[in-house]
Amino acid sequence: MKILRRTLIALTTAALLGAGAVGSAAAADVKSRMIRFGYGLAEDTNQGRATKRFVDEVAKLSDGKLKVRAFGAASLGSDVQMQNALIGGAQEMMVGSTATLVGITPEMALWDTPFLFANEKEADAVLDGPVGQKLLDKLQEKGLVGLVYWENGFRNLTNNKRAVNSLEDLGGIKLRVMQNNVFLDTFRTLGANAIPLSFSELFTALETQAVDGQENPFNTILTSKFYEVQKYLTVTNHVYSPWVMLASKKWWDKLSKDEQDILMQAARNARDFERQDTREEAARALGELEGKGMMVNTLTGDEVQRMREKIEPITQKVAADVGAELWNEVQQELARVRAQ
Ligand code: TK8
């Protein structure tokens, strides 16, 4: 254990110093392997850039022995299809929404609780803390290994029908939601005609007006070019959405401890890069979307409060579904972070 950790530290240090990790990597138990890594967004997005960072980190830490081949734009399938490929062992790794994982691990719905986190600091602390780890651990019994959380971000609403200034304005809007009951129930309760659809089908659905709207972070609205097919953007910040890096457990269990350590270290480095990059992009994305001609409005505090009250039963349902123990734990964690 100690020796392995020392090997990894040596590896990392050598890589950091640019000294080449040949000696250490040779000493470590690392074989030549090809790793297929899938993700849903295009290459030129926060998800694509962080994946590239992961590819590079793995190459560096393994002295080129572990080769990650990245497949963007859902070319290996939607989130749900990739999750199943990982479970079956037909694909090694992916990054995608936690929201699409609830069919496999229902407790993941915890992260879908509307307005759970007030800011990124709370999200980082809870996701990287014991509750976040507990949910990652739960994936194991389903054949998945959860490595780390990335930031997708706070979600906001776009549509083609009308500016959404009040709760009532959502009425009848055909709104694409992720394949997840919390999202479905939330937007149905708010009066929209919520329709679950995979992300890979979304742009076409918006373009052909099969749906009127969708909700995603500013980054994705910009980089997936939704501004080309959506007129109105309403700043709602209704929920913080994490992404999660996953590995096939079938495959992971066959790796040496050194190989697992390299992948874990690279995943953490990619996560830290991703969060910073995503936040920088989010900070300028709204302005760019306005520049592209989107009509932007921000929900007033009063309207947000009305929405929160209306969907309180959904929050209660998530609490009941994930269980009192987990729910209380996350509330305690939040109270602790908020007190700091
Ligand atoms: C990308 C999705 C996306 C998510 C969604 O594969 O589906 O709307 O926000 O990021 O995971």
Side-chain angles (χ1 to χ4, degrees):
M1 185 67 193
K2 233 184 209 145
I3 293 169
L4 291 179
R5 200 174 301 135
R6 234 183 282 133
T7 310
L8 186 62
I9 290 167
L11 263 168
T12 316
T13 313
L16 281 174
L17 294 174
V22 186
S24 323
D29 182 8
V30 181
K31 292 198 175 68
S32 282
R33 296 179 189 273
M34 209 274 283
I35 302 165
R36 283 159 297 186
F37 185 102
Y39 61 97
L41 302 190
E43 216 175 296
D44 188 18
T45 62
N46 55 340
Q47 203 176 45
R49 288 188 295 271
T51 297
K52 171 85 171 51
R53 175 58 70 102
F54 178 67
V55 171
D56 294 345
E57 292 283 331
V58 172
K60 208 162 67 178
L61 294 174
S62 71
D63 192 30
K65 286 184 172 172
L66 301 177
K67 289 191 187 64
V68 181
R69 276 193 68 188
F71 297 86
S75 58
L76 294 182
S78 66
D79 280 9
V80 172
Q81 285 166 331
M82 289 195 287
Q83 289 155 14
N84 288 317
L86 259 55
I87 292 169
Q91 181 183 329
E92 290 76 31
M93 295 188 77
M94 66 173 284
V95 66
S97 240
T98 54
T100 49
L101 265 175
V102 293
I104 292 166
T105 298
E107 291 87 352
M108 280 287 162
L110 181 61
W111 310 131
D112 305 324
T113 311
F115 303 106
L116 181 67
F117 300 132
N119 52 53
E120 289 88 354
K121 188 177 152 247
E122 292 181 9
D124 289 357
V126 175
L127 290 164
D128 298 347
V131 181
Q133 189 56 47
K134 202 176 215 178
L135 287 188
L136 294 180
D137 291 345
K138 282 200 186 296
L139 293 166
Q140 295 248 1
E141 64 204 57
K142 301 294 166 69
L144 294 169
V145 179
L147 282 81
V148 293
Y149 297 98
W150 289 6
E151 173 157 300
N152 187 353
F154 282 98
R155 302 180 79 92
N156 294 288
L157 192 73
T158 70
N159 87 98
N160 240 343
K161 280 273 181 223
R162 61 186 86 97
V164 175
N165 288 300
S166 73
L167 183 51
E168 287 70 25
D169 290 331
L170 269 169
I173 288 181
K174 276 187 280 171
L175 189 81
R176 175 272 178 173
V177 291
M178 290 186 280
Q179 293 144 302
N180 171 292
N181 279 333
V182 182
F183 279 84
L184 197 62
D185 292 346
T186 297
F187 283 99
R188 283 197 174 147
T189 304
L190 292 174
N193 179 5
I195 301 163
L197 205 65
S198 72
F199 185 84
S200 42
E201 294 170 282
L202 178 53
F203 188 89
T204 307
L206 292 169
E207 193 176 33
T208 60
Q209 290 165 30
V211 295
D212 304 315
Q214 64 86 46
E215 42 83 55
N216 251 301
F218 298 143
N219 308 62
T220 298
I221 299 169
L222 180 67
T223 56
S224 293
K225 300 191 168 36
F226 290 160
Y227 56 83
E228 288 180 357
V229 287
Q230 295 280 273
K231 182 147 187 217
Y232 304 102
L233 190 160
T234 307
V235 180
T236 51
N237 291 313
H238 51 272
V239 69
Y240 177 94
S241 215
W243 282 323
V244 60
M245 276 182 90
L246 301 171
S248 158
K249 185 166 157 54
K250 246 188 190 171
W251 167 76
W252 182 264
D253 288 347
K254 289 187 209 135
L255 300 178
S256 72
K257 180 73 171 55
D258 286 351
E259 291 169 333
Q260 291 176 351
D261 285 350
I262 286 171
L263 292 170
M264 244 346 268
Q265 185 58 50
R268 290 202 188 99
N269 294 351
R271 170 196 66 197
D272 295 345
F273 165 83
E274 195 272 350
R275 284 181 180 160
Q276 197 184 336
D277 178 60
T278 296
R279 285 162 199 176
E280 280 166 20
E281 185 180 58
R284 55 183 164 76
L286 188 58
E288 287 186 33
L289 288 165
E290 274 181 305
K292 303 272 185 202
M294 287 197 92
M295 311 282 290
V296 176
N297 73 293
T298 303
L299 269 195
T300 64
D302 284 354
E303 277 309 311
V304 172
Q305 192 49 36
R306 284 183 71 213
M307 283 194 185
R308 292 183 78 136
E309 280 162 21
K310 185 114 198 204
I311 55 184
E312 183 54 26
I314 314 280
T315 303
Q316 296 307 325
K317 189 169 182 304
V318 177
D321 287 351
V322 302
E325 195 191 320
L326 199 55
W327 184 260
N328 293 336
E329 252 178 71
V330 86
Q331 295 307 326
Q332 278 163 20
E333 273 284 298
L334 278 170
R336 195 183 53 76
V337 179
R338 282 168 190 164
Q340 274 170 7

